[in-house]
Amino acid sequence: VDRRVYCWGENGAGYLGDGSPSATRRAAPGPIASSQQFTGLSVSRAHRCAVTESGEVYCWGFNAFSQLGNGTTATAFTPQRVQALPAVTAVSAGEDFTCALDRDQGVWCWGRNNFGQLGDGTTINRPLPVRLPGVRRYMAVSTGIRMSCALDDTGMAWCWGRGPVGDGTASNRATPTSVVTDQRFTQIASGASHTCALASDGKAWCWGGLGAIGDGAMTSRAAPVPVTGDRRYTAIAAG
């Protein structure tokens, strides 16, 4: 296995990462313009990011809000290294912003911040990574369209950005806010305006909006509710 990243499809804002012009379409996988070996990849609507074996992050694609983390707002048709970021273990590309988990279990975010989705206590866009405040240690992070969530090292869920973030209200939160639940989670996934997580017993819980909660109702939930049924799951994703 060469651990390279391969992309295919349309290339409107450099999505393919191979340096080809925006009108290019690729019907079969082709390598991005990088000789790096990667261990992780995250794809958002208009930008992509990948983690190298050494813990660096490279991003490419649309960059109007500095979601590529290279200090500019220029669209990138080839991978650009994220600046001022320590070695990381995972990256999550959201809608116009990005977050990453470093090797010391801190979370860093950059890009668009109009709803506080970077979690730094402001609504100021950040062209370079900023670290979440506090000394909490995280084991997972997931970004959605306008909000983000993370699991700390005890399995507690924390979310921030556009509400509802799971704290029992519909309010926006600019710093990590505890999700109202006694559950401890092993996985978490943020989607359009909702989040789902797997509890330690394999049950799925969701909160947020758009009727994507899985509890049989087309309504928003301000705090986690269990997905209908008695199934136990091993993986979860939010679209």
Side-chain angles (χ1 to χ4, degrees):
V1 179
D2 64 6
R3 295 185 182 273
R4 298 183 70 185
V5 170
Y6 289 75
C7 295
W8 57 96
E10 295 187 353
N11 195 41
Y15 310 143
L16 299 179
D18 62 358
S20 58
S22 59
T24 302
R25 294 185 178 183
R26 186 180 293 282
I32 64 173
S34 174
S35 60
Q36 295 281 347
Q37 293 186 314
F38 295 95
T39 60
L41 174 69
S42 183
V43 174
S44 183
R45 179 183 65 84
H47 77 290
R48 295 85 172 90
C49 295
V51 180
T52 70
E53 286 189 320
S54 62
E56 293 182 322
V57 175
Y58 283 79
C59 298
W60 61 97
F62 189 61
N63 194 34
F65 299 95
S66 299
Q67 58 264 49
L68 303 187
N70 63 351
T72 78
T73 56
T75 294
F77 287 78
T78 59
Q80 307 292 306
R81 186 172 66 86
V82 175
Q83 304 294 310
L85 184 66
V88 309
T89 58
V91 67
S92 182
E95 180 85 349
D96 301 330
F97 72 107
T98 310
C99 292
L101 179 68
D102 73 28
R103 291 179 176 175
D104 291 325
Q105 295 182 282
V107 170
W108 299 72
C109 299
W110 58 94
R112 194 175 191 180
N113 197 28
N114 53 329
F115 290 100
Q117 58 265 47
L118 302 188
D120 67 345
T122 77
T123 54
I124 300 170
N125 295 347
R126 300 294 186 179
L128 296 172
V130 290
R131 192 181 189 279
L132 293 191
V135 296
R136 194 173 296 114
R137 298 168 68 88
Y138 297 95
M139 63 179 184
V141 64
S142 180
T143 54
I145 287 186
R146 295 288 182 265
M147 50 92 70
S148 310
C149 291
L151 298 180
D152 70 19
D153 56 3
T154 72
M156 285 183 61
W158 301 79
C159 296
W160 58 96
R162 187 174 185 175
V165 300
D167 65 343
T169 77
S171 299
N172 301 337
R173 302 296 183 187
T175 56
T177 303
S178 178
V179 173
V180 180
T181 179
D182 293 330
Q183 298 294 320
R184 293 296 180 267
F185 300 108
T186 60
Q187 296 180 37
I188 195 163
S190 296
S193 64
H194 67 293
T195 299
C196 293
L198 284 187
S200 55
D201 63 358
K203 295 277 285 186
W205 294 71
C206 298
W207 58 96
L210 294 183
I213 308 306
D215 64 346
M218 293 293 293
T219 187
S220 296
R221 301 297 185 187
V225 294
V227 171
T228 300
D230 295 324
R231 293 185 182 89
R232 300 294 191 270
Y233 300 96
T234 59
I236 199 161

